[in-house]
Amino acid sequence: MKLNRRLVLTLVASAAVLSGAAMAQQRVFFGIATGGTGGTYYPLGGMLAQLISNKATVDGKKITATAEAAGASVGNAKLLGTKDIESAFVAADILDAAYNGKAQFANAPLKNLRALGALYPETVQLITRADSGINGVKDLKGKSISSGAPGSGQYQLVTDLLKVHGMARTDVKEDSSSFTQAVDKIKDGNLHATLITGGVPVAAVTDFAQSHALKIIPLSGPEVATLLKEQPYYTQVQLPANSYKGQTAAVPTLAVMAIWATHDGVPENVAYEVTKALYENTAIMGQVHVQGKNINLNTATAVASVPLHPGALRYFKEKGIAK
Protein backbone atom coordinates (compact mmCIF):
# COMPACT_ATOMS: atom_id res chain seq x y z
CA MET A 1 0.00 0.00 0.00
CA LYS A 2 1.33 3.41 -0.97
CA LEU A 3 0.99 6.53 1.16
CA ASN A 4 0.35 9.79 -0.59
CA ARG A 5 3.03 12.49 -0.36
CA ARG A 6 1.03 14.79 1.93
CA LEU A 7 0.50 12.00 4.46
CA VAL A 8 4.18 11.07 4.39
CA LEU A 9 5.19 14.68 5.07
CA THR A 10 2.67 14.90 7.90
CA LEU A 11 4.05 11.75 9.53
CA VAL A 12 7.63 13.01 9.17
CA ALA A 13 6.71 16.35 10.69
CA SER A 14 4.88 14.66 13.56
CA ALA A 15 7.90 12.46 14.23
CA ALA A 16 10.14 15.52 14.29
CA VAL A 17 7.87 17.25 16.80
CA LEU A 18 7.79 14.17 19.04
CA SER A 19 11.56 13.81 18.77
CA GLY A 20 12.03 17.46 19.70
CA ALA A 21 9.69 17.07 22.67
CA ALA A 22 11.61 14.02 23.82
CA MET A 23 14.89 15.92 23.59
CA ALA A 24 13.41 18.85 25.52
CA GLN A 25 12.41 16.44 28.28
CA GLN A 26 16.09 15.54 28.64
CA ARG A 27 17.07 19.12 29.37
CA VAL A 28 16.53 21.61 32.18
CA PHE A 29 16.51 25.22 31.01
CA PHE A 30 18.10 27.89 33.19
CA GLY A 31 18.15 31.61 32.41
CA ILE A 32 20.63 34.26 33.61
CA ALA A 33 19.62 37.94 33.42
CA THR A 34 22.69 40.14 32.93
CA GLY A 35 22.90 43.80 31.86
CA GLY A 36 23.56 45.92 28.80
CA THR A 37 26.09 44.86 26.20
CA GLY A 38 28.46 47.69 27.16
CA GLY A 39 28.84 46.54 30.77
CA THR A 40 30.50 43.65 32.62
CA TYR A 41 27.44 41.55 33.49
CA TYR A 42 26.83 40.70 29.85
CA PRO A 43 30.14 39.00 28.87
CA LEU A 44 30.49 37.24 32.22
CA GLY A 45 26.89 36.05 32.07
CA GLY A 46 27.47 34.65 28.60
CA MET A 47 30.51 32.71 29.76
CA LEU A 48 28.66 31.45 32.85
CA ALA A 49 25.79 30.19 30.68
CA GLN A 50 28.25 28.36 28.44
CA LEU A 51 30.04 26.90 31.45
CA ILE A 52 26.79 25.59 32.99
CA SER A 53 25.64 24.14 29.68
CA ASN A 54 28.94 22.29 29.33
CA LYS A 55 29.34 21.10 32.91
CA ALA A 56 26.02 20.76 34.73
CA THR A 57 23.45 17.95 34.76
CA VAL A 58 20.64 17.17 37.18
CA ASP A 59 18.94 13.78 37.54
CA GLY A 60 20.54 12.68 34.27
CA LYS A 61 19.27 15.74 32.40
CA LYS A 62 21.55 18.34 30.87
CA ILE A 63 21.13 21.89 32.18
CA THR A 64 20.97 24.28 29.25
CA ALA A 65 21.68 27.84 30.37
CA THR A 66 21.15 31.05 28.44
CA ALA A 67 22.33 34.59 29.25
CA GLU A 68 19.91 37.41 28.49
CA ALA A 69 20.70 41.12 28.18
CA ALA A 70 18.50 42.85 30.73
CA GLY A 71 17.97 46.06 32.69
CA ALA A 72 20.71 45.45 35.29
CA SER A 73 20.28 45.31 39.06
CA VAL A 74 16.85 46.79 39.83
CA GLY A 75 15.19 45.29 36.76
CA ASN A 76 16.89 41.96 37.40
CA ALA A 77 15.68 41.83 41.01
CA LYS A 78 12.13 42.46 39.80
CA LEU A 79 12.43 39.64 37.25
CA LEU A 80 13.41 37.30 40.07
CA GLY A 81 10.59 38.61 42.26
CA THR A 82 8.04 37.61 39.63
CA LYS A 83 9.93 34.39 38.86
CA ASP A 84 10.23 35.35 35.19
CA ILE A 85 13.83 34.11 35.12
CA GLU A 86 15.80 31.59 37.12
CA SER A 87 18.79 33.75 38.07
CA ALA A 88 20.30 37.20 37.64
CA PHE A 89 23.28 39.39 38.47
CA VAL A 90 22.39 42.04 41.06
CA ALA A 91 24.53 44.53 43.01
CA ALA A 92 24.62 43.79 46.75
CA ASP A 93 22.99 47.06 47.82
CA ILE A 94 20.10 46.59 45.39
CA LEU A 95 19.63 42.96 46.39
CA ASP A 96 19.48 44.01 50.04
CA ALA A 97 17.00 46.80 49.28
CA ALA A 98 14.81 44.46 47.23
CA TYR A 99 14.73 41.76 49.91
CA ASN A 100 14.05 44.20 52.75
CA GLY A 101 11.71 46.59 50.93
CA LYS A 102 13.93 49.69 50.98
CA ALA A 103 14.67 52.57 48.56
CA GLN A 104 13.21 51.69 45.14
CA PHE A 105 11.48 48.67 46.69
CA ALA A 106 9.87 50.56 49.59
CA ASN A 107 6.75 48.80 50.84
CA ALA A 108 7.22 46.00 48.28
CA PRO A 109 9.88 43.60 49.65
CA LEU A 110 10.80 40.63 47.46
CA LYS A 111 11.07 37.98 50.15
CA ASN A 112 11.34 35.15 47.62
CA LEU A 113 14.86 36.28 46.61
CA ARG A 114 17.74 33.94 47.36
CA ALA A 115 21.49 34.10 46.65
CA LEU A 116 23.65 31.61 44.76
CA GLY A 117 26.92 33.37 45.61
CA ALA A 118 28.97 36.55 45.54
CA LEU A 119 30.86 37.25 42.32
CA TYR A 120 33.31 40.19 42.13
CA PRO A 121 33.57 43.86 43.19
CA GLU A 122 31.93 46.40 40.89
CA THR A 123 33.68 49.76 40.77
CA VAL A 124 31.81 53.07 40.58
CA GLN A 125 33.14 55.23 37.75
CA LEU A 126 31.96 58.81 37.29
CA ILE A 127 32.99 59.52 33.70
CA THR A 128 33.39 62.80 31.83
CA ARG A 129 35.57 64.35 29.11
CA ALA A 130 38.93 65.67 30.23
CA ASP A 131 37.99 69.15 28.99
CA SER A 132 34.55 69.25 30.67
CA GLY A 133 35.59 71.41 33.62
CA ILE A 134 34.01 68.88 35.99
CA ASN A 135 36.43 67.97 38.76
CA GLY A 136 34.08 66.88 41.54
CA VAL A 137 30.46 65.98 42.25
CA LYS A 138 29.56 69.58 43.13
CA ASP A 139 30.60 70.64 39.61
CA LEU A 140 27.68 68.60 38.24
CA LYS A 141 25.21 71.30 39.30
CA GLY A 142 23.39 72.49 36.20
CA LYS A 143 25.09 69.80 34.09
CA SER A 144 23.61 66.73 32.42
CA ILE A 145 24.33 63.27 33.84
CA SER A 146 23.15 59.77 33.01
CA SER A 147 22.36 57.48 35.92
CA GLY A 148 22.07 54.44 33.67
CA ALA A 149 19.23 52.67 31.94
CA PRO A 150 15.87 52.47 33.75
CA GLY A 151 16.09 49.59 36.22
CA SER A 152 19.81 50.01 36.89
CA GLY A 153 21.35 50.39 40.32
CA GLN A 154 22.97 53.72 39.51
CA TYR A 155 19.77 55.73 40.06
CA GLN A 156 19.84 55.43 43.84
CA LEU A 157 23.58 56.06 43.99
CA VAL A 158 23.25 59.31 42.02
CA THR A 159 20.55 60.42 44.47
CA ASP A 160 22.79 59.60 47.44
CA LEU A 161 25.91 61.24 45.97
CA LEU A 162 24.04 64.45 45.19
CA LYS A 163 22.42 64.49 48.64
CA VAL A 164 25.67 64.22 50.62
CA HIS A 165 27.10 67.01 48.44
CA GLY A 166 24.18 69.30 49.28
CA MET A 167 22.25 68.83 46.04
CA ALA A 168 19.11 67.13 44.75
CA ARG A 169 18.26 65.46 41.45
CA THR A 170 16.54 68.67 40.38
CA ASP A 171 19.97 70.35 40.41
CA VAL A 172 21.13 68.27 37.43
CA LYS A 173 19.73 67.49 34.01
CA GLU A 174 18.96 63.80 34.00
CA ASP A 175 19.50 61.25 31.27
CA SER A 176 18.71 57.52 31.47
CA SER A 177 20.90 56.11 28.72
CA SER A 178 22.63 52.76 28.83
CA PHE A 179 26.40 52.65 29.37
CA THR A 180 27.12 52.55 25.65
CA GLN A 181 24.58 55.23 24.77
CA ALA A 182 25.82 57.51 27.54
CA VAL A 183 29.48 57.44 26.51
CA ASP A 184 28.47 58.01 22.89
CA LYS A 185 26.56 61.12 23.97
CA ILE A 186 29.57 62.37 25.94
CA LYS A 187 31.73 61.86 22.85
CA ASP A 188 29.31 63.97 20.81
CA GLY A 189 29.01 66.71 23.44
CA ASN A 190 25.36 65.89 24.19
CA LEU A 191 25.97 64.77 27.77
CA HIS A 192 28.38 66.01 30.43
CA ALA A 193 28.87 62.91 32.58
CA THR A 194 27.68 59.40 33.34
CA LEU A 195 27.84 57.20 36.40
CA ILE A 196 28.83 53.61 35.60
CA THR A 197 29.10 50.78 38.11
CA GLY A 198 30.78 47.67 36.75
CA GLY A 199 33.76 45.38 36.84
CA VAL A 200 36.84 47.17 35.54
CA PRO A 201 37.46 47.49 32.66
CA VAL A 202 33.96 48.34 31.44
CA ALA A 203 33.77 47.84 27.66
CA ALA A 204 31.92 51.11 27.03
CA VAL A 205 34.53 53.13 28.96
CA THR A 206 37.40 51.34 27.23
CA ASP A 207 35.86 52.28 23.89
CA PHE A 208 35.47 55.92 24.96
CA ALA A 209 39.08 56.19 26.11
CA GLN A 210 40.39 54.94 22.76
CA SER A 211 39.16 58.05 20.96
CA HIS A 212 38.68 60.76 23.61
CA ALA A 213 40.60 62.14 26.58
CA LEU A 214 38.94 60.59 29.62
CA LYS A 215 38.48 61.95 33.13
CA ILE A 216 37.24 59.83 36.03
CA ILE A 217 35.96 62.01 38.89
CA PRO A 218 37.32 61.10 42.36
CA LEU A 219 34.74 60.00 44.93
CA SER A 220 36.24 60.54 48.38
CA GLY A 221 36.31 62.96 51.30
CA PRO A 222 33.90 63.66 54.17
CA GLU A 223 30.81 63.66 51.94
CA VAL A 224 31.54 60.16 50.66
CA ALA A 225 32.36 59.02 54.21
CA THR A 226 28.83 60.11 55.16
CA LEU A 227 27.40 58.14 52.25
CA LEU A 228 29.30 55.01 53.32
CA LYS A 229 27.64 55.16 56.74
CA GLU A 230 24.24 55.07 55.03
CA GLN A 231 25.21 52.52 52.36
CA PRO A 232 27.13 49.73 54.16
CA TYR A 233 27.51 47.57 51.05
CA TYR A 234 29.79 50.15 49.40
CA THR A 235 33.48 50.38 50.27
CA GLN A 236 36.19 52.92 49.47
CA VAL A 237 38.63 51.63 46.85
CA GLN A 238 41.21 52.85 44.37
CA LEU A 239 40.62 52.51 40.65
CA PRO A 240 44.12 51.36 39.60
CA ALA A 241 46.19 53.59 37.35
CA ASN A 242 46.06 52.66 33.66
CA SER A 243 42.74 50.84 33.97
CA TYR A 244 41.90 52.86 30.85
CA LYS A 245 43.95 54.60 28.20
CA GLY A 246 45.18 57.98 29.41
CA GLN A 247 44.20 57.36 33.06
CA THR A 248 47.73 57.40 34.44
CA ALA A 249 46.94 57.94 38.13
CA ALA A 250 44.88 55.89 40.59
CA VAL A 251 41.46 57.39 41.35
CA PRO A 252 39.69 57.06 44.73
CA THR A 253 36.16 55.78 44.29
CA LEU A 254 33.61 53.24 45.57
CA ALA A 255 32.88 49.59 44.95
CA VAL A 256 30.03 47.17 45.66
CA MET A 257 29.91 43.38 45.34
CA ALA A 258 27.99 41.80 42.45
CA ILE A 259 25.79 38.89 43.55
CA TRP A 260 24.43 35.96 41.54
CA ALA A 261 20.83 35.77 42.76
CA THR A 262 17.88 33.46 42.24
CA HIS A 263 14.45 32.84 43.79
CA ASP A 264 12.90 30.22 46.04
CA GLY A 265 11.09 28.52 43.15
CA VAL A 266 14.30 27.09 41.66
CA PRO A 267 14.66 23.43 42.73
CA GLU A 268 17.40 22.71 45.26
CA ASN A 269 19.21 20.21 43.04
CA VAL A 270 19.32 22.68 40.14
CA ALA A 271 20.67 25.47 42.36
CA TYR A 272 23.28 23.07 43.74
CA GLU A 273 24.50 22.01 40.30
CA VAL A 274 24.77 25.51 38.80
CA THR A 275 26.55 26.82 41.90
CA LYS A 276 28.97 23.91 41.76
CA ALA A 277 29.54 24.48 38.04
CA LEU A 278 30.59 28.08 38.66
CA TYR A 279 32.78 27.78 41.74
CA GLU A 280 34.61 24.69 40.53
CA ASN A 281 35.46 26.33 37.20
CA THR A 282 36.24 29.93 38.12
CA ALA A 283 39.40 29.96 35.98
CA ILE A 284 37.17 29.75 32.91
CA MET A 285 35.37 32.96 33.91
CA GLY A 286 38.65 34.86 33.90
CA GLN A 287 39.13 34.03 30.23
CA VAL A 288 36.34 36.38 29.12
CA HIS A 289 36.89 39.28 31.54
CA VAL A 290 39.57 40.06 34.11
CA GLN A 291 36.93 40.39 36.87
CA GLY A 292 36.12 36.73 36.38
CA LYS A 293 39.42 36.04 38.15
CA ASN A 294 37.98 37.62 41.31
CA ILE A 295 35.19 35.05 41.60
CA ASN A 296 36.27 32.62 44.31
CA LEU A 297 35.09 30.59 47.28
CA ASN A 298 36.75 32.92 49.79
CA THR A 299 34.09 35.59 49.17
CA ALA A 300 31.28 33.42 47.80
CA THR A 301 29.05 33.63 50.88
CA ALA A 302 29.25 37.46 51.20
CA VAL A 303 25.72 37.86 49.85
CA ALA A 304 24.34 40.80 51.85
CA SER A 305 21.24 40.08 53.95
CA VAL A 306 19.63 37.71 51.46
CA PRO A 307 19.51 34.02 52.45
CA LEU A 308 21.53 31.56 50.42
CA HIS A 309 19.42 29.23 48.32
CA PRO A 310 19.35 25.78 49.99
CA GLY A 311 21.07 24.28 46.95
CA ALA A 312 23.92 26.80 47.08
CA LEU A 313 24.15 26.41 50.86
CA ARG A 314 24.51 22.64 50.48
CA TYR A 315 27.42 23.12 48.09
CA PHE A 316 29.15 25.66 50.34
CA LYS A 317 28.74 23.33 53.33
CA GLU A 318 30.43 20.57 51.36
CA LYS A 319 33.33 22.95 50.69
CA GLY A 320 33.56 23.85 54.38
CA ILE A 321 32.80 27.57 53.98
CA ALA A 322 29.28 27.59 55.42
CA LYS A 323 27.55 26.03 58.41
Side-chain angles (χ1 to χ4, degrees), residues 143-175:
K143 303 291 197 304
S144 57
I145 179 173
S146 173
S147 55
S152 72
Q154 276 74 247
Y155 185 93
Q156 185 64 44
L157 182 55
V158 167
T159 299
D160 295 338
L161 279 171
L162 292 173
K163 179 181 177 182
V164 296
H165 284 86
M167 294 185 288
R169 298 190 78 99
T170 52
D171 290 317
V172 298
K173 300 172 184 177
E174 290 197 56
D175 182 278

Side-chain angles (χ1 to χ4, degrees), residues 169-190:
R169 298 190 78 99
T170 52
D171 290 317
V172 298
K173 300 172 184 177
E174 290 197 56
D175 182 278
S176 58
S177 298
S178 68
F179 291 173
T180 301
Q181 291 169 336
V183 296
D184 283 344
K185 288 182 179 181
I186 295 174
K187 289 178 186 177
D188 297 337
N190 296 319

